[in-house]
Amino acid sequence: MLLDHLKRAAAEREAQSLTRRRRIAHTACAPHQSVGAVDATPTPLLTFCSNDYLGLADHASIAHALAEGAHRYGAGSGASHLVSGHSLAHAQLEQELARWLAPHIPQAQALYFCTGYMANLAVLTALGTAGATLFCEALNHASLIDGARLARADVQRYPHGDVQALDALLQASQGTLKLIVTDSVFSMDGDIAPLAALLALAERHDAWIVVDDAHGFGALGAHGRGVLEHLGLRAERLIYIGTLGKAAGVAGAFVAAHESIVEHLVNTARPYIYTTAAPPAVAHALLTSLEIIGGEEGRSRRAHLADLIAQLRTGLAGLAAQAGWTLGASDTAIQPLIVGDNAASLALSAALEAEGIRVGAIRPPTVPAGTARLRITLSASHTAADVARLLDAIARATPQVLREAA
Ligand SMILES: *Cc1c(COP(=O)(O)O)cnc(C)c1O
Protein backbone atom coordinates (compact mmCIF):
# COMPACT_ATOMS: atom_id res chain seq x y z
CA MET A 1 0.00 0.00 0.00
CA LEU A 2 2.56 2.54 1.12
CA LEU A 3 4.93 1.73 -1.73
CA ASP A 4 2.13 1.86 -4.34
CA HIS A 5 1.11 5.21 -2.97
CA LEU A 6 4.68 6.52 -3.13
CA LYS A 7 5.13 5.24 -6.69
CA ARG A 8 2.01 7.10 -7.78
CA ALA A 9 3.29 10.27 -6.10
CA ALA A 10 6.66 9.86 -7.87
CA ALA A 11 4.94 9.39 -11.25
CA GLU A 12 2.90 12.54 -10.65
CA ARG A 13 6.03 14.51 -9.80
CA GLU A 14 7.73 13.23 -12.95
CA ALA A 15 4.75 14.21 -15.13
CA GLN A 16 4.95 17.78 -13.79
CA SER A 17 8.73 18.04 -14.25
CA LEU A 18 9.08 18.27 -10.47
CA THR A 19 11.34 15.31 -9.69
CA ARG A 20 14.43 16.34 -7.75
CA ARG A 21 17.72 14.55 -8.25
CA ARG A 22 21.00 14.97 -6.47
CA ARG A 23 24.26 15.36 -8.33
CA ILE A 24 27.52 14.08 -6.93
CA ALA A 25 30.39 16.57 -6.70
CA HIS A 26 33.83 14.98 -7.00
CA THR A 27 35.71 18.17 -6.25
CA ALA A 28 35.47 21.13 -3.86
CA CYS A 29 32.76 23.75 -4.05
CA ALA A 30 34.20 26.23 -6.58
CA PRO A 31 33.18 27.84 -9.89
CA HIS A 32 34.80 24.92 -11.71
CA GLN A 33 33.44 21.77 -10.13
CA SER A 34 33.29 18.22 -11.47
CA VAL A 35 30.14 16.17 -11.05
CA GLY A 36 29.23 12.62 -12.00
CA ALA A 37 28.23 9.17 -10.78
CA VAL A 38 30.34 7.52 -8.09
CA ASP A 39 32.14 5.22 -10.53
CA ALA A 40 32.20 7.50 -13.56
CA THR A 41 34.75 10.03 -14.72
CA PRO A 42 33.18 13.29 -13.54
CA THR A 43 32.29 16.14 -15.90
CA PRO A 44 33.80 19.57 -15.20
CA LEU A 45 31.11 22.26 -15.09
CA LEU A 46 31.20 26.01 -14.64
CA THR A 47 28.69 26.38 -11.81
CA PHE A 48 26.44 29.26 -10.85
CA CYS A 49 24.38 27.65 -8.12
CA SER A 50 26.22 27.58 -4.82
CA ASN A 51 25.67 30.05 -1.96
CA ASP A 52 29.43 30.36 -1.49
CA TYR A 53 29.21 34.08 -2.29
CA LEU A 54 32.74 35.01 -1.28
CA GLY A 55 34.39 31.85 -2.62
CA LEU A 56 35.56 30.80 0.85
CA ALA A 57 34.28 27.20 0.80
CA ASP A 58 37.58 25.95 -0.63
CA HIS A 59 39.82 28.69 0.76
CA ALA A 60 43.19 27.19 1.69
CA SER A 61 43.59 29.11 4.98
CA ILE A 62 40.16 28.03 6.21
CA ALA A 63 40.72 24.40 5.22
CA HIS A 64 44.05 24.61 7.05
CA ALA A 65 42.34 26.01 10.15
CA LEU A 66 39.82 23.16 10.00
CA ALA A 67 42.65 20.63 10.03
CA GLU A 68 44.43 22.52 12.83
CA GLY A 69 41.17 22.51 14.82
CA ALA A 70 40.84 18.76 14.32
CA HIS A 71 44.40 18.23 15.56
CA ARG A 72 43.70 20.31 18.63
CA TYR A 73 40.17 19.20 19.50
CA GLY A 74 39.68 15.90 17.66
CA ALA A 75 36.88 15.06 15.28
CA GLY A 76 33.75 15.20 17.37
CA SER A 77 32.39 17.28 20.24
CA GLY A 78 31.03 14.21 22.01
CA ALA A 79 27.91 15.76 23.55
CA SER A 80 25.49 18.65 23.45
CA HIS A 81 26.61 22.13 24.54
CA LEU A 82 24.93 21.85 27.95
CA VAL A 83 26.47 18.47 28.73
CA SER A 84 30.16 18.53 27.77
CA GLY A 85 30.34 19.47 24.08
CA HIS A 86 30.88 23.22 24.47
CA SER A 87 34.52 23.90 23.57
CA LEU A 88 36.89 26.83 23.76
CA ALA A 89 36.57 27.18 19.97
CA HIS A 90 32.77 27.47 20.21
CA ALA A 91 33.09 30.06 22.98
CA GLN A 92 35.68 32.10 21.06
CA LEU A 93 33.50 32.05 17.96
CA GLU A 94 30.46 33.25 19.90
CA GLN A 95 32.51 36.01 21.51
CA GLU A 96 33.73 37.24 18.13
CA LEU A 97 30.25 37.09 16.56
CA ALA A 98 28.80 39.03 19.51
CA ARG A 99 31.48 41.68 18.96
CA TRP A 100 30.53 41.85 15.26
CA LEU A 101 26.85 42.44 15.94
CA ALA A 102 27.22 44.65 19.03
CA PRO A 103 27.16 47.91 17.01
CA HIS A 104 23.73 46.88 15.72
CA ILE A 105 22.16 45.18 18.73
CA PRO A 106 22.81 46.67 22.19
CA GLN A 107 24.08 44.11 24.74
CA ALA A 108 24.35 41.50 22.00
CA GLN A 109 25.37 37.94 22.76
CA ALA A 110 25.76 35.23 20.12
CA LEU A 111 24.79 31.56 20.16
CA TYR A 112 26.26 29.09 17.67
CA PHE A 113 24.07 26.37 16.10
CA CYS A 114 24.89 23.36 13.92
CA THR A 115 22.66 24.68 11.12
CA GLY A 116 20.55 27.67 10.22
CA TYR A 117 17.53 25.41 9.98
CA MET A 118 17.93 24.55 13.66
CA ALA A 119 18.61 28.16 14.68
CA ASN A 120 15.34 29.22 13.09
CA LEU A 121 13.39 26.41 14.74
CA ALA A 122 14.99 27.35 18.05
CA VAL A 123 14.17 31.06 17.91
CA LEU A 124 10.59 30.65 16.74
CA THR A 125 9.69 27.86 19.16
CA ALA A 126 11.43 29.35 22.19
CA LEU A 127 9.93 32.83 21.72
CA GLY A 128 6.73 31.95 19.86
CA THR A 129 4.96 30.49 22.87
CA ALA A 130 1.19 30.46 23.45
CA GLY A 131 -0.16 34.02 23.53
CA ALA A 132 2.53 35.33 21.15
CA THR A 133 1.83 36.17 17.51
CA LEU A 134 4.27 35.59 14.65
CA PHE A 135 3.88 37.91 11.66
CA CYS A 136 5.53 36.01 8.85
CA GLU A 137 6.62 37.41 5.47
CA ALA A 138 5.08 35.43 2.58
CA LEU A 139 8.41 34.47 0.95
CA ASN A 140 10.17 33.32 4.10
CA HIS A 141 12.59 30.40 3.91
CA ALA A 142 11.22 26.92 4.63
CA SER A 143 13.05 26.76 7.95
CA LEU A 144 11.19 29.85 9.21
CA ILE A 145 7.92 28.38 7.95
CA ASP A 146 8.62 25.13 9.79
CA GLY A 147 9.63 27.00 12.94
CA ALA A 148 6.33 28.89 12.84
CA ARG A 149 4.44 25.61 12.37
CA LEU A 150 6.15 24.10 15.37
CA ALA A 151 5.60 27.16 17.58
CA ARG A 152 2.53 27.41 19.83
CA ALA A 153 2.08 31.05 18.80
CA ASP A 154 -0.67 32.35 16.58
CA VAL A 155 0.73 32.75 13.03
CA GLN A 156 -0.27 35.44 10.56
CA ARG A 157 1.22 35.96 7.10
CA TYR A 158 1.73 39.24 5.28
CA PRO A 159 2.32 39.63 1.51
CA HIS A 160 5.88 39.97 0.22
CA GLY A 161 7.34 43.37 1.09
CA ASP A 162 3.92 44.77 2.06
CA VAL A 163 4.65 47.09 5.00
CA GLN A 164 1.11 48.54 5.01
CA ALA A 165 -0.53 45.12 5.26
CA LEU A 166 1.79 44.26 8.13
CA ASP A 167 0.96 47.56 9.83
CA ALA A 168 -2.75 46.69 9.69
CA LEU A 169 -2.15 43.20 11.11
CA LEU A 170 -0.05 44.57 13.95
CA GLN A 171 -2.66 47.23 14.66
CA ALA A 172 -5.41 44.61 14.98
CA SER A 173 -3.34 42.17 17.02
CA GLN A 174 -4.10 41.34 20.65
CA GLY A 175 -0.96 39.22 21.05
CA THR A 176 1.04 39.67 24.24
CA LEU A 177 4.27 39.33 22.27
CA LYS A 178 4.49 40.31 18.61
CA LEU A 179 7.32 38.97 16.48
CA ILE A 180 7.84 40.04 12.88
CA VAL A 181 9.65 37.20 11.10
CA THR A 182 11.47 37.78 7.82
CA ASP A 183 14.35 36.80 5.57
CA SER A 184 16.70 39.73 4.93
CA VAL A 185 17.78 38.73 1.42
CA PHE A 186 15.07 36.52 -0.09
CA SER A 187 16.70 33.27 -1.06
CA MET A 188 14.97 32.66 -4.39
CA ASP A 189 14.53 36.33 -5.43
CA GLY A 190 17.58 38.14 -4.12
CA ASP A 191 15.70 41.27 -3.05
CA ILE A 192 16.16 42.78 0.42
CA ALA A 193 13.37 43.18 2.99
CA PRO A 194 12.48 46.82 3.87
CA LEU A 195 14.01 46.39 7.31
CA ALA A 196 14.16 50.09 8.23
CA ALA A 197 10.42 50.37 7.63
CA LEU A 198 9.79 47.12 9.50
CA LEU A 199 11.81 48.43 12.41
CA ALA A 200 9.75 51.63 12.49
CA LEU A 201 6.61 49.48 12.61
CA ALA A 202 8.10 47.37 15.35
CA GLU A 203 8.82 50.47 17.44
CA ARG A 204 5.30 51.78 16.89
CA HIS A 205 3.56 48.51 17.76
CA ASP A 206 6.00 47.29 20.41
CA ALA A 207 6.96 44.29 18.27
CA TRP A 208 10.27 42.44 17.82
CA ILE A 209 11.94 41.49 14.54
CA VAL A 210 13.44 38.09 13.79
CA VAL A 211 15.65 38.59 10.75
CA ASP A 212 17.23 35.66 8.92
CA ASP A 213 20.36 36.96 7.19
CA ALA A 214 21.46 33.65 5.65
CA HIS A 215 22.27 35.37 2.35
CA GLY A 216 23.54 38.63 3.81
CA PHE A 217 26.05 37.69 6.46
CA GLY A 218 29.55 37.96 4.99
CA ALA A 219 28.27 39.28 1.67
CA LEU A 220 26.67 42.58 2.75
CA GLY A 221 28.06 45.52 4.71
CA ALA A 222 31.39 47.32 4.57
CA HIS A 223 32.91 44.74 6.94
CA GLY A 224 30.72 41.82 5.85
CA ARG A 225 28.68 41.95 9.02
CA GLY A 226 25.50 41.54 7.03
CA VAL A 227 22.25 43.33 6.38
CA LEU A 228 22.19 45.36 9.61
CA GLU A 229 25.55 46.90 8.74
CA HIS A 230 24.47 47.32 5.10
CA LEU A 231 21.34 49.27 6.13
CA GLY A 232 22.90 50.97 9.17
CA LEU A 233 20.33 49.62 11.66
CA ARG A 234 20.63 49.40 15.41
CA ALA A 235 17.93 48.32 17.84
CA GLU A 236 17.36 46.15 20.87
CA ARG A 237 14.32 44.71 19.10
CA LEU A 238 16.42 42.89 16.51
CA ILE A 239 16.88 39.15 16.82
CA TYR A 240 19.45 38.31 14.18
CA ILE A 241 20.22 34.94 12.59
CA GLY A 242 23.32 34.62 10.43
CA THR A 243 24.35 31.39 8.74
CA LEU A 244 27.94 30.27 8.34
CA GLY A 245 27.70 27.70 5.55
CA LYS A 246 27.08 30.24 2.78
CA ALA A 247 29.29 33.32 2.43
CA ALA A 248 31.33 32.24 5.47
CA GLY A 249 32.15 29.04 3.59
CA VAL A 250 32.02 26.55 6.46
CA ALA A 251 28.92 25.35 8.35
CA GLY A 252 26.48 26.29 11.09
CA ALA A 253 24.67 29.43 12.09
CA PHE A 254 24.26 31.82 14.98
CA VAL A 255 21.67 33.90 16.72
CA ALA A 256 22.75 37.34 17.89
CA ALA A 257 20.37 39.14 20.21
CA HIS A 258 20.10 40.87 23.57
CA GLU A 259 21.84 38.76 26.21
CA SER A 260 18.53 37.94 27.93
CA ILE A 261 17.20 36.40 24.73
CA VAL A 262 20.32 34.31 24.19
CA GLU A 263 20.20 33.17 27.82
CA HIS A 264 16.57 32.15 27.28
CA LEU A 265 17.48 30.16 24.16
CA VAL A 266 20.28 28.30 25.97
CA ASN A 267 17.80 27.27 28.64
CA THR A 268 14.68 26.54 26.64
CA ALA A 269 15.30 26.06 22.91
CA ARG A 270 14.97 22.35 22.19
CA PRO A 271 16.84 22.47 18.83
CA TYR A 272 19.76 23.90 20.81
CA ILE A 273 19.61 21.67 23.87
CA TYR A 274 18.87 18.25 22.40
CA THR A 275 21.55 17.93 19.77
CA THR A 276 25.26 17.18 19.74
CA ALA A 277 27.46 20.26 19.43
CA ALA A 278 29.11 20.73 16.03
CA PRO A 279 32.76 19.61 15.88
CA PRO A 280 34.94 22.23 17.63
CA ALA A 281 37.20 22.20 14.55
CA VAL A 282 34.35 23.73 12.57
CA ALA A 283 34.12 26.62 15.04
CA HIS A 284 37.91 26.94 14.94
CA ALA A 285 37.83 27.16 11.13
CA LEU A 286 35.11 29.80 11.33
CA LEU A 287 37.40 32.07 13.36
CA THR A 288 39.70 32.19 10.32
CA SER A 289 36.75 32.71 8.01
CA LEU A 290 35.64 35.72 10.08
CA GLU A 291 39.15 37.16 9.93
CA ILE A 292 39.06 36.97 6.15
CA ILE A 293 35.52 38.34 5.82
CA GLY A 294 36.24 41.30 8.10
CA GLY A 295 39.66 42.11 6.63
CA GLU A 296 41.06 43.53 3.43
CA GLU A 297 40.59 40.26 1.54
CA GLY A 298 36.89 40.17 2.38
CA ARG A 299 36.48 43.76 1.28
CA SER A 300 38.13 43.12 -2.07
CA ARG A 301 36.11 39.91 -2.61
CA ARG A 302 32.87 41.83 -1.99
CA ALA A 303 33.98 44.56 -4.41
CA HIS A 304 34.73 41.99 -7.12
CA LEU A 305 31.38 40.30 -6.47
CA ALA A 306 29.60 43.65 -6.93
CA ASP A 307 31.33 44.07 -10.33
CA LEU A 308 30.21 40.60 -11.42
CA ILE A 309 26.61 41.29 -10.33
CA ALA A 310 26.55 44.49 -12.40
CA GLN A 311 28.03 42.68 -15.43
CA LEU A 312 25.48 39.86 -15.21
CA ARG A 313 22.49 42.18 -14.78
CA THR A 314 23.49 44.35 -17.71
CA GLY A 315 23.84 41.32 -19.93
CA LEU A 316 20.70 39.56 -18.76
CA ALA A 317 18.38 42.58 -18.95
CA GLY A 318 18.29 42.52 -22.75
CA LEU A 319 18.15 38.73 -23.03
CA ALA A 320 15.24 38.45 -20.59
CA ALA A 321 13.22 41.17 -22.30
CA GLN A 322 13.66 39.54 -25.72
CA ALA A 323 12.57 36.15 -24.44
CA GLY A 324 9.61 37.48 -22.46
CA TRP A 325 11.20 36.37 -19.21
CA THR A 326 11.70 38.42 -16.06
CA LEU A 327 14.98 39.31 -14.44
CA GLY A 328 14.33 39.66 -10.70
CA ALA A 329 14.79 43.07 -9.06
CA SER A 330 17.89 42.08 -7.12
CA ASP A 331 21.19 43.80 -6.37
CA THR A 332 22.60 40.81 -4.52
CA ALA A 333 24.52 37.74 -5.67
CA ILE A 334 21.19 35.92 -6.15
CA GLN A 335 19.93 36.72 -9.64
CA PRO A 336 16.72 34.94 -10.65
CA LEU A 337 15.82 34.62 -14.33
CA ILE A 338 12.11 33.87 -14.06
CA VAL A 339 11.02 31.70 -16.98
CA GLY A 340 7.61 30.71 -15.56
CA ASP A 341 7.02 27.23 -16.93
CA ASN A 342 8.61 24.25 -15.11
CA ALA A 343 9.55 22.36 -18.27
CA ALA A 344 10.96 25.47 -19.96
CA SER A 345 13.15 26.31 -17.00
CA LEU A 346 14.39 22.71 -16.94
CA ALA A 347 15.06 22.87 -20.69
CA LEU A 348 17.07 26.06 -20.30
CA SER A 349 19.07 24.55 -17.46
CA ALA A 350 19.69 21.41 -19.58
CA ALA A 351 20.78 23.46 -22.61
CA LEU A 352 23.31 25.31 -20.45
CA GLU A 353 24.61 22.08 -19.05
CA ALA A 354 25.16 20.79 -22.58
CA GLU A 355 27.60 23.71 -22.85
CA GLY A 356 29.30 22.80 -19.61
CA ILE A 357 27.51 25.31 -17.41
CA ARG A 358 25.50 24.41 -14.34
CA VAL A 359 22.65 26.62 -13.14
CA GLY A 360 19.85 25.24 -11.03
CA ALA A 361 16.24 25.29 -12.23
CA ILE A 362 14.11 26.11 -9.20
CA ARG A 363 10.52 24.90 -9.34
CA PRO A 364 7.48 24.77 -7.06
CA PRO A 365 7.06 24.23 -4.18
CA THR A 366 10.33 26.06 -3.52
CA VAL A 367 8.90 29.01 -5.51
CA PRO A 368 5.23 29.85 -6.25
CA ALA A 369 3.57 27.95 -9.13
CA GLY A 370 4.15 29.62 -12.50
CA THR A 371 7.42 31.25 -11.42
CA ALA A 372 9.93 28.50 -12.16
CA ARG A 373 13.30 30.05 -12.70
CA LEU A 374 17.00 29.77 -13.15
CA ARG A 375 18.50 30.84 -9.86
CA ILE A 376 21.85 32.21 -10.89
CA THR A 377 24.22 32.83 -8.02
CA LEU A 378 27.56 34.53 -8.28
CA SER A 379 30.66 34.05 -6.20
CA ALA A 380 33.73 36.22 -5.75
CA SER A 381 35.64 33.26 -7.20
CA HIS A 382 33.99 33.75 -10.59
CA THR A 383 35.81 35.82 -13.18
CA ALA A 384 34.37 38.33 -15.64
CA ALA A 385 35.12 35.74 -18.35
CA ASP A 386 33.01 33.15 -16.49
CA VAL A 387 30.05 35.54 -16.45
CA ALA A 388 30.54 36.38 -20.14
CA ARG A 389 30.52 32.68 -20.96
CA LEU A 390 27.22 32.24 -19.07
CA LEU A 391 25.61 35.18 -20.90
CA ASP A 392 26.71 33.79 -24.29
CA ALA A 393 25.34 30.36 -23.47
CA ILE A 394 21.96 31.73 -22.36
CA ALA A 395 21.72 33.80 -25.54
CA ARG A 396 22.40 30.72 -27.67
CA ALA A 397 19.99 28.46 -25.75
CA THR A 398 17.04 30.85 -25.61
CA PRO A 399 15.61 30.44 -29.18
CA GLN A 400 15.47 26.67 -28.85
CA VAL A 401 13.83 26.82 -25.40
CA LEU A 402 11.23 29.27 -26.73
CA ARG A 403 10.52 27.04 -29.78
CA GLU A 404 10.03 23.97 -27.58
CA ALA A 405 7.73 25.85 -25.23
CA ALA A 406 5.57 27.21 -28.08
C1 LIG B 1 20.11 28.21 3.81
C2 LIG B 1 19.11 28.98 4.61
C3 LIG B 1 18.79 28.61 5.91
C4 LIG B 1 19.31 27.34 6.53
O1 LIG B 1 20.63 27.47 6.89
P1 LIG B 1 21.50 26.13 6.97
O2 LIG B 1 22.67 26.52 7.77
O3 LIG B 1 21.82 25.76 5.57
O4 LIG B 1 20.63 25.11 7.65
C5 LIG B 1 17.94 29.41 6.64
N1 LIG B 1 17.39 30.50 6.10
C6 LIG B 1 17.64 30.87 4.84
C7 LIG B 1 17.00 32.10 4.30
C8 LIG B 1 18.49 30.11 4.05
O5 LIG B 1 18.72 30.46 2.78
Side-chain angles (χ1 to χ4, degrees):
M1 272 308 283
L2 171 65
L3 298 184
D4 289 338
H5 171 70
L6 298 185
K7 276 176 196 158
R8 269 197 304 278
E12 253 166 56
R13 272 197 301 273
E14 192 63 39
Q16 294 174 272
S17 305
L18 288 177
T19 305
R20 290 147 187 262
R21 292 189 175 83
R22 298 172 302 166
R23 313 283 299 274
I24 300 168
H26 290 231
T27 57
C29 174
H32 295 273
Q33 188 176 43
S34 293
V35 304
V38 172
D39 301 320
T41 307
T43 312
L45 293 173
L46 174 59
T47 68
F48 292 91
C49 35
S50 86
N51 302 312
D52 178 26
Y53 304 121
L54 295 184
L56 300 185
D58 75 334
H59 194 289
S61 309
I62 300 174
H64 179 79
L66 185 63
E68 182 185 78
H71 280 296
R72 191 177 304 179
Y73 297 101
S77 70
S80 67
H81 284 278
L82 289 173
V83 176
S84 63
H86 192 58
S87 73
L88 175 64
H90 294 120
Q92 288 170 328
L93 176 63
E94 289 180 345
Q95 216 170 48
E96 184 62 8
L97 289 167
R99 197 178 71 77
W100 276 39
L101 271 297
H104 306 288
I105 305 172
Q107 286 176 265
Q109 288 292 319
L111 188 65
Y112 178 67
F113 284 80
C114 296
T115 72
Y117 191 102
M118 292 166 71
N120 283 342
L121 292 192
V123 169
L124 295 190
T125 55
L127 299 176
T129 49
T133 307
L134 305 179
F135 298 88
C136 299
E137 149 78 50
L139 294 190
N140 275 350
H141 187 261
S143 56
L144 289 174
I145 295 172
D146 292 359
R149 281 185 186 151
L150 206 53
R152 302 284 164 105
D154 186 35
V155 177
Q156 304 198 11
R157 265 164 53 108
Y158 64 94
H160 181 55
D162 193 337
V163 176
Q164 279 182 347
L166 174 59
D167 191 14
L169 289 177
L170 286 164
Q171 185 70 43
S173 168
Q174 305 293 321
T176 51
L177 168 64
K178 301 170 193 171
L179 287 166
I180 300 166
V181 181
T182 186
D183 282 19
S184 57
V185 178
F186 290 90
S187 50
M188 296 301 140
D189 294 76
D191 55 330
I192 298 180
L195 280 169
L198 297 184
L199 192 53
L201 278 191
E203 303 280 0
R204 181 137 39 92
H205 297 285
D206 190 20
W208 293 69
I209 300 185
V210 175
V211 54
D212 175 352
D213 200 26
H215 302 279
F217 184 78
L220 295 179
H223 303 88
R225 295 181 181 193
V227 74
L228 302 183
E229 183 182 38
H230 178 66
L231 298 176
L233 300 177
R234 173 179 170 87
E236 195 175 74
R237 310 181 167 274
L238 293 166
I239 300 165
Y240 178 91
I241 296 135
T243 69
L244 301 167
K246 290 173 179 159
V250 187
F254 68 99
V255 175
H258 187 279
E259 57 190 3
S260 300
I261 293 175
V262 167
E263 167 74 6
H264 185 70
L265 294 178
V266 169
N267 283 276
T268 68
R270 297 167 68 87
Y272 184 74
I273 297 169
Y274 297 105
T275 195
T276 301
V282 171
H284 187 76
L286 280 163
L287 288 167
T288 296
S289 170
L290 292 184
E291 258 176 48
I292 292 169
I293 291 170
E296 183 51 35
E297 183 176 349
R299 198 201 56 73
S300 78
R301 282 177 182 256
R302 283 185 293 278
H304 177 57
L305 181 60
D307 290 344
L308 296 174
I309 293 167
Q311 180 194 354
L312 180 72
R313 284 192 68 76
T314 303
L316 275 184
L319 291 175
Q322 267 181 332
W325 298 333
T326 307
L327 176 61
S330 160
D331 295 322
T332 66
I334 301 169
Q335 292 293 328
L337 179 58
I338 300 165
V339 170
D341 180 61
N342 295 343
S345 68
L346 277 182
L348 181 53
S349 173
L352 294 179
E353 176 144 349
E355 301 219 20
I357 297 177
R358 183 177 183 194
V359 186
I362 309 282
R363 291 153 284 161
T366 308
V367 294
T371 69
R373 65 195 64 186
L374 287 197
R375 177 181 183 263
I376 302 167
T377 54
L378 294 170
S379 157
S381 291
H382 285 118
T383 62
D386 291 335
V387 172
R389 197 178 140 198
L390 172 65
L391 289 167
D392 278 353
I394 293 176
R396 271 197 304 279
T398 301
Q400 185 197 336
V401 171
L402 290 176
R403 266 200 309 280
E404 280 170 15

